[in-house]
Amino acid sequence: MTVFDELVGQEMAAHELQVASADASSLLTGGAGPSMTHAWLFVGPPGSGRSIAARVFAQALQCPDGGCGTCAQCRDVRAGTHPDVSIVEPAGVHYSVADVRELVAQSSSSPIRGRWRVIVLEDADRLESQQMDWKPANVLLKAIEEPAPHMVWVLCAPSLQDVIATVRSRCRVLSLRTPSIAEVTDVLVNKYGADPDLAVTAARVSQGHIGRARRFITDPEVRERHREVMELPTSLASLTDCLEAAARFDSTAEDSGKDQVRERHAQERDDVRASYGVGSRGIEARGAAKALGDLEKMHKKRARRARSDAADLALLELLAYYRDVLMLQWGADVGLINDEYADQLQHEASTSTPEVTMRRIEAVLETRATLSGNAVPRLVLESLFATLRDPVAVR
Ligand SMILES: [Zn+2]
């Protein structure tokens, strides 16, 4: 067993990273290390395991055995406590220039305990924004072009097109693919001991996204929320129903977003308190209040983003529902994503037409675009559900 076993369905990428980390190791002892690169861009659709690949690579770089998975270096990277490995994400919708400046400053210092300093930037597609005059990406350019000797940058993004060209051209690209339903099912059963039937459902519903599939299995709330989304289309009998559905959808997204960040935020508050000695001596240490205040602001931003991500995920589930309806209406011989709702989907398919289903799909897609990156405005959802209820009348 090595850490690379975690890269499900990514044999090519795993091999490339293995060779690179072996060469990285030889570089440290004066070897040539031709296959090692200091700036990487990992691209792959959501669920392809970009974050896992980045963490595995960091483990392999720090581990004296190239990623054994059991030594102290491997364990600390996995636990997120390794002092030389930072895995960062934008606190708000985008990275700020200040965030990136801080990372660049960090990148110039030598590793403390490990062999390399590794900075993983999740969501590198959020390094620029139309509204910003001075883009965070610009701050990064020189740092990734001429990194400090023991520095490795790993940027992660859904696709190459999502990353600004000047950043893209300075990185070595590693492509990841979405694992198949069978591969995800296999991992859920064999690695996490999931019930085989539930594993198949989880793999299908999460469409190859291992992280989501795992949450579907371990968290009854996630299954409950999925059920709510599946019941939405048949609950829109009147306009009042649509308004209520929008309110429910919105508050579910809020709850789900809160669930996503709760543990992490509590941990971060504890860390700040501990670092200022608050609690142990029963006095408010100087600076602690400000640090906690700053943290609180960052948490608010992150919670807002978690909420909009949760709303988007629910919209994707709704999209999968209408995709199933359309497949039935077309008589296409493909598996249903929501197979356990086959009866309901059949009924929906036989009481509408492909044209109507297409309009519903368009409406969901438009809503996703409108809501992308923003908090969830109730009005947009109300209009969506009114359209889903009667796509012909609204047009
Ligand atoms: Zn190890």
Side-chain angles (χ1 to χ4, degrees):
M1 283 289 281
T2 75
V3 287
F4 291 101
D5 295 336
E6 285 189 61
L7 303 182
V8 180
Q10 313 285 356
E11 286 74 20
M12 299 239 302
H15 177 72
E16 194 174 338
L17 292 178
Q18 222 159 356
V19 172
S21 52
D23 268 16
S25 197
S26 104
L27 265 180
L28 292 176
T29 51
S35 296
M36 179 52 187
T37 314
H38 292 268
W40 293 76
L41 175 57
F42 288 10
V43 293
S48 56
R50 294 185 307 251
S51 316
I52 297 175
R55 193 248 302 144
V56 161
F57 188 39
Q59 285 177 300
L61 287 170
Q62 305 295 16
C63 173
D65 294 318
C68 67
T70 51
C71 71
Q73 300 272 357
C74 283
R75 283 202 314 268
D76 289 352
V77 174
R78 168 179 268 285
T81 53
H82 197 293
D84 299 318
V85 177
S86 310
I87 298 177
V88 294
E89 58 178 287
V93 173
H94 292 100
Y95 281 100
S96 72
V97 170
D99 293 341
V100 180
R101 283 224 170 93
E102 202 181 307
L103 292 174
V104 169
Q106 255 185 48
S107 78
S108 59
S109 56
S110 301
I112 301 165
R113 227 193 79 204
R115 313 186 321 157
W116 298 89
R117 180 169 284 280
V118 184
I119 298 182
V120 177
L121 260 87
E122 306 254 27
D123 305 320
D125 49 319
R126 300 183 191 226
L127 272 169
E128 62 161 356
S129 138
Q130 240 70 68
Q131 297 93 33
M132 296 177 179
D133 296 336
W134 179 245
K135 298 183 193 312
N138 294 342
V139 182
L140 195 63
L141 292 183
K142 197 167 150 41
I144 54 174
E145 191 164 59
E146 298 163 19
H150 292 273
M151 176 63 206
V152 181
W153 290 96
V154 181
L155 279 57
C156 302
S159 78
L160 275 182
Q161 292 71 40
D162 291 323
V163 181
I164 181 170
T166 45
V167 168
R168 202 163 67 207
S169 63
R170 286 165 170 82
C171 295
R172 170 163 160 198
V173 175
L174 182 86
S175 295
L176 300 161
R177 64 179 190 86
T178 307
S180 69
I181 305 288
E183 284 164 338
V184 175
T185 308
D186 191 55
V187 173
L188 294 174
V189 173
N190 294 321
K191 190 159 171 223
Y192 299 110
D195 168 75
D197 286 342
L198 186 58
V200 175
T201 304
R204 262 195 287 103
V205 167
S206 54
Q207 297 176 57
H209 193 303
I210 292 184
R212 257 185 250 150
R214 272 197 69 193
R215 283 198 292 280
F216 191 89
I217 281 182
T218 53
D219 187 349
E221 286 273 318
V222 172
R223 294 200 290 278
E224 173 61 21
R225 280 172 197 146
H226 178 255
R227 193 183 58 77
E228 275 176 25
V229 172
M230 293 299 107
E231 286 173 359
L232 249 172
T234 52
S235 72
L236 306 172
S238 69
L239 274 176
T240 313
D241 292 338
C242 295
L243 302 187
E244 281 171 9
R248 230 173 23 244
F249 189 97
D250 196 15
S251 74
T252 303
E254 189 177 359
D255 292 347
S256 165
K258 277 186 190 150
D259 287 354
Q260 290 276 322
V261 295
R262 182 173 295 118
E263 242 174 71
R264 181 168 173 195
H265 285 183
Q267 181 64 49
E268 287 175 353
R269 275 192 298 272
D270 286 350
D271 289 349
V272 167
R273 286 202 190 94
S275 70
Y276 281 92
V278 180
S280 58
R281 279 169 284 158
I283 49 160
E284 192 80 346
R286 187 190 296 267
K290 175 168 186 321
L292 282 168
D294 288 348
L295 187 68
E296 184 67 36
K297 268 186 224 145
M298 196 264 274
H299 282 179
K300 278 211 178 104
K301 275 198 215 165
R302 195 193 276 149
R304 220 177 297 140
R305 188 178 151 202
R307 173 185 178 165
S308 91
D309 286 351
D312 192 55
L313 190 59
L315 288 173
L316 278 175
E317 291 178 345
L318 202 53
L319 215 47
Y321 178 94
Y322 287 117
R323 171 263 184 206
D324 281 349
V325 172
L326 195 61
M327 291 302 124
L328 290 170
Q329 287 172 328
W330 280 347
D333 188 20
V334 293
L336 295 178
I337 294 170
N338 300 291
D339 198 35
E340 64 278 29
Y341 294 90
D343 291 346
Q344 184 186 329
L345 291 164
Q346 278 291 359
H347 179 76
E348 179 103 32
S350 61
T351 51
S352 74
T353 65
E355 290 72 29
V356 167
T357 308
M358 284 297 284
R359 284 193 186 174
R360 289 184 166 129
I361 287 176
E362 276 166 29
V364 179
L365 287 172
E366 275 167 26
T367 306
R368 282 192 73 205
T370 313
L371 294 181
S372 71
N374 291 315
V376 182
R378 186 77 60 85
L379 279 177
V380 179
L381 290 169
E382 287 174 354
S383 141
L384 168 67
F385 293 131
T387 310
L388 293 181
R389 174 178 169 260
D390 193 348
V392 186
V394 173
R395 290 275 154 146

